[in-house]
Amino acid sequence: MDSDSKIFVAGHNGLVGSAIVRNLEARGFTNILTVDRVKLDLTKLHDVQMFFMVEQPEYVFLAAAKVGGIGANDEYPADFIYENLMIQTNVISSAAKSGVKKLLFLGSSCIYPKFATQPITEDQLMSGHLEPSNSAYAVAKIAGINMCKAYRKQHGLNAISVMPTNLYGPNDNFDLDSSHVLPALMAKFHGSLEKSEHWVVKLWGDGSPKREFLHVDDLAEALYICMEKYDDEDIINIGTGEDVTIKELAETIIDVTGYKNYYEWDTSKPNGTPRKVLNVDKMKALGWEPKISLREGIESTYEWYKNSIGYEEPQLNPISKFMSWMDQ
Ligand SMILES: NC(=O)c1ccc[n+]([C@@H]2O[C@H](COP(=O)([O-])OP(=O)(O)OC[C@H]3O[C@@H](n4cnc5c(N)ncnc54)[C@H](OP(=O)(O)O)[C@@H]3O)[C@@H](O)[C@H]2O)c1
């Protein structure tokens, strides 16, 4: 990509899209194309075709999608499969028709079988049954991967597919009904900061499952490298290659938010897969390494979250200030 290449970032208001825009702007790219959903609904084929014909983007980051946590995926599977199939079908086919030089499609680690061998290598795609709770979303993503391959073969579109692990960072979704685990825990503990000392935060499962988390700015750097260096039709994983238990994650968030009351595990709720971590050898071979530790990422995301909701730190009276100083 040249600094004045026309680069369309689809989904620029979302967690991933906004990080891609930040990364490209910091690198000095001057011709970044974005469009709000109210102006262009990517599920509408005719509108998407017109947009590509008029705008003629050279590169496309396809980060627009319907995304959500386990609860939302389980409750609205039709929306997840329909909207994701429509968005990716319209964007990939229009990109091929209008002569886009390269397209990067964002998949997800949920495309892998529920009982994949850990750490998950790319060759385990389609080697077993999917996790049922988000299979509609996963099937749409697998269709997207195959669509990239098919358009590459039949129409010569340089389309690549990347599979990121669980992401977090600024512009994440903190809504408790539809968010992923990390922002949900942050919103829950933050929302309980000022509750009485008898308040107990309840968390799903028993805290034992192990998960991997990548800061979205590290992802954006990896996506840039893939756009510059990766031209293969095979998928490529993006993650840290390291995992933590949900209990460890919760305790880090408790520490960062300063929540002081109790929390307990609701073991009547499902744990999900015991462990999920990606093998990231392929991505590392391209010269990329994640730079933001989980602790640092949680701290900066928490600062962003507090600003985004206009939270003001409570003013301590002189006695509390003294007690808090004694505690340190
Ligand atoms: N979040 C994760 O942990 C994670 C992990 C692995 C992979 N991914 C992948 O990364 C990609 C981006 O995810 P994300 O977390 O950034 O999601 P997100 O924060 O929900 O952002 C999605 C973006 O897509 C836009 N969008 C959705 N439907 C649209 C439509 N019909 N027309 C136009 N725009 C539409 C949204 O627009 P509005 O702002 O108007 O709603 C939003 O800007 C997805 O493909 C996802 O599968 C995410």
Side-chain angles (χ1 to χ4, degrees), residues 11 14-16 37 41-42 63-65 67 87 106-107 137 141 164-165 167:
L15 172 67
V16 173
R37 189 204 295 231
D41 179 347
L42 294 170
V67 180
I87 291 171
L106 274 132
Y137 174 74
K141 291 289 182 191
T165 188
L167 305 168

Side-chain angles (χ1 to χ4, degrees), residues 10-17 35-38 40-43 62-67 83-84 87 105-109 137 141 163-168 171-173 180 219:
H12 69 289
N13 287 320
L15 172 67
V16 173
V35 58
D36 284 338
R37 189 204 295 231
V38 283
L40 177 66
D41 179 347
L42 294 170
T43 63
L62 177 40
K66 179 160 182 69
V67 180
E83 289 179 36
N84 284 311
I87 291 171
F105 169 66
L106 274 132
S108 158
S109 58
Y137 174 74
K141 291 289 182 191
M163 301 304 125
T165 188
N166 303 302
L167 305 168
Y168 70 97
N171 293 315
D172 208 343
N173 168 15
H180 290 118
L219 171 81

Side-chain angles (χ1 to χ4, degrees), residues 85-285:
L85 281 174
M86 297 303 280
I87 291 171
Q88 65 206 35
T89 300
N90 296 344
V91 172
I92 296 169
S93 63
S94 303
K97 227 179 202 163
S98 69
V100 159
K101 288 182 184 158
K102 187 164 178 179
L103 176 144
L104 182 152
F105 169 66
L106 274 132
S108 158
S109 58
C110 71
I111 52 134
Y112 290 114
K114 181 174 177 156
F115 299 112
T117 309
Q118 307 292 322
I120 308 173
T121 43
E122 288 88 350
D123 59 2
Q124 294 189 65
L125 175 63
M126 307 252 276
S127 63
H129 292 287
L130 296 167
E131 157 63 38
S133 62
N134 60 10
S135 61
Y137 174 74
V139 164
K141 291 289 182 191
I142 293 169
I145 295 167
N146 280 6
M147 208 170 161
C148 286
K149 285 187 185 176
Y151 272 77
R152 172 185 289 276
K153 186 172 176 193
Q154 191 177 332
H155 297 294
L157 175 67
N158 186 0
I160 59 169
S161 302
V162 305
M163 301 304 125
T165 188
N166 303 302
L167 305 168
Y168 70 97
N171 293 315
D172 208 343
N173 168 15
F174 290 85
D175 169 30
L176 288 178
D177 290 330
S178 56
S179 54
H180 290 118
V181 60
L182 192 155
L185 291 180
M186 197 174 272
K188 242 182 191 180
F189 286 116
H190 176 83
S192 304
L193 280 179
E194 285 157 13
K195 302 281 186 190
S196 85
E197 60 189 285
H198 304 296
W199 183 260
V200 178
V201 167
K202 288 205 170 149
L203 305 179
W204 275 34
D206 65 7
S208 67
K210 295 187 89 180
R211 295 288 183 273
E212 178 188 17
F213 298 94
L214 178 70
H215 191 279
V216 74
D217 286 333
D218 276 334
L219 171 81
E221 185 64 20
L223 298 181
Y224 171 77
I225 291 174
C226 286
M227 202 53 137
E228 290 290 45
K229 291 192 187 171
Y230 190 76
D231 287 317
D232 207 295
E233 66 163 22
D234 291 334
I235 60 175
I236 181 163
N237 289 340
I238 309 179
T240 60
E242 289 168 12
D243 49 1
V244 292
T245 63
I246 297 298
K247 184 165 187 282
E248 286 163 338
L249 175 72
E251 282 171 359
T252 306
I253 294 176
I254 286 171
D255 201 34
V256 169
T257 55
Y259 176 73
K260 295 224 165 26
N261 296 343
Y262 291 103
Y263 74 97
E264 63 186 28
W265 298 98
D266 178 357
T267 50
S268 68
K269 297 280 196 266
N271 262 338
T273 314
R275 187 175 182 219
K276 213 170 147 200
V277 60
L278 296 178
N279 175 303
V280 288
D281 290 351
K282 253 173 102 168
M283 192 61 226
K284 286 192 172 169

